[in-house]
Amino acid sequence: MKNHWLMKSEPAEVSVDDALAAPDATVPWTGVRNYQARNFMRDQMRVDDGVLFYHSSCAEPGIVGIARVASTAYPDPTQFDRKSPYYDPASQPEPPRWLLVDVQVLRKTRTLGLAELRATPGLEDLLVLRKGNRLSITPVQARHWTAIVKMLER
DNA sequence: GCCAACGTTGGC
DNA sequence: GCCAACGTTGGC
């Protein structure tokens, strides 16, 4: 049984187009520095889980593509890179504090924006729509996944 | 730029 | 363990 996820990325850092341009349309999901999001990757993500690629902190926030989890969790190398904005001096190599998974974009879609998501009956309790939600990775219920993928097909 | 919401830090 | 201060996220 596959799980489904919504993963936020700032397009100024890694957009869906950037990911599509990468080899195999696959990018390492660097920079997650929240324990709950990390734990999702570590404990619950499996290869082939479905991913809604979401653009945040931009002019048109919303879902912009369908992707898949392409690896199990492994250490995020940016935590040890002093030059990286994601450098974490408190993280020791054993055990590494921060993990990532690889994400492969399967297809870019139209932008399914927040207003449209909010206006869609049945999506009221989609986690990303909840007030104050700042988690960069959230689980998506199967019924939400099905409804959203259907909306993106048109 | 504003600000609500939430996570983390650190003194006690 | 409490909780105030502070930092970050992210829509608007």
Side-chain angles (χ1 to χ4, degrees):
Chain A
M1 172 83 171
K2 282 207 301 183
N3 290 319
H4 303 96
W5 307 94
L6 182 144
M7 298 177 76
K8 296 179 187 172
S9 183
E10 300 189 14
E13 299 218 4
V14 182
S15 68
V16 68
D17 289 320
D18 294 335
L20 274 173
D24 295 325
T26 300
V27 290
W29 208 262
T30 53
V32 171
R33 295 294 181 266
N34 170 283
Y35 290 104
Q36 203 177 342
R38 179 204 66 182
N39 293 349
F40 284 140
M41 292 194 288
R42 184 188 64 192
D43 303 333
Q44 295 186 44
M45 274 193 190
R46 282 175 258 174
V47 172
D48 269 344
D49 279 0
V51 174
L52 300 171
F53 198 114
Y54 180 95
H55 279 175
S56 67
S57 296
C58 59
E60 285 186 287
I63 295 163
V64 294
I66 306 285
R68 63 184 276 271
V69 174
S71 78
T72 53
Y74 62 96
D76 180 344
T78 63
Q79 70 195 300
F80 304 120
D81 178 358
R82 289 179 169 277
K83 299 190 189 106
S84 169
Y86 301 122
Y87 177 61
D88 181 356
S91 179
Q92 301 298 315
E94 293 300 331
R97 178 179 293 183
W98 303 115
L99 303 173
L100 56 71
V101 296
D102 291 337
V103 173
Q104 180 179 37
V105 177
L106 300 176
R107 65 192 172 89
K108 183 179 175 179
T109 64
R110 69 183 177 93
T111 298
L112 207 182
L114 280 177
E116 187 177 353
L117 288 168
R118 287 212 166 89
T120 303
L123 296 184
E124 293 83 1
D125 49 352
L126 187 68
L127 288 175
V128 79
L129 300 182
R130 284 225 306 229
K131 190 175 176 181
N133 169 61
R134 300 182 309 157
L135 255 190
S136 64
I137 299 176
T138 46
V140 174
Q141 295 179 39
R143 64 189 180 86
H144 291 151
W145 171 269
T146 303
I148 289 167
V149 168
K150 183 172 277 189
M151 292 173 77
L152 291 170
E153 277 166 2
R154 286 171 288 161

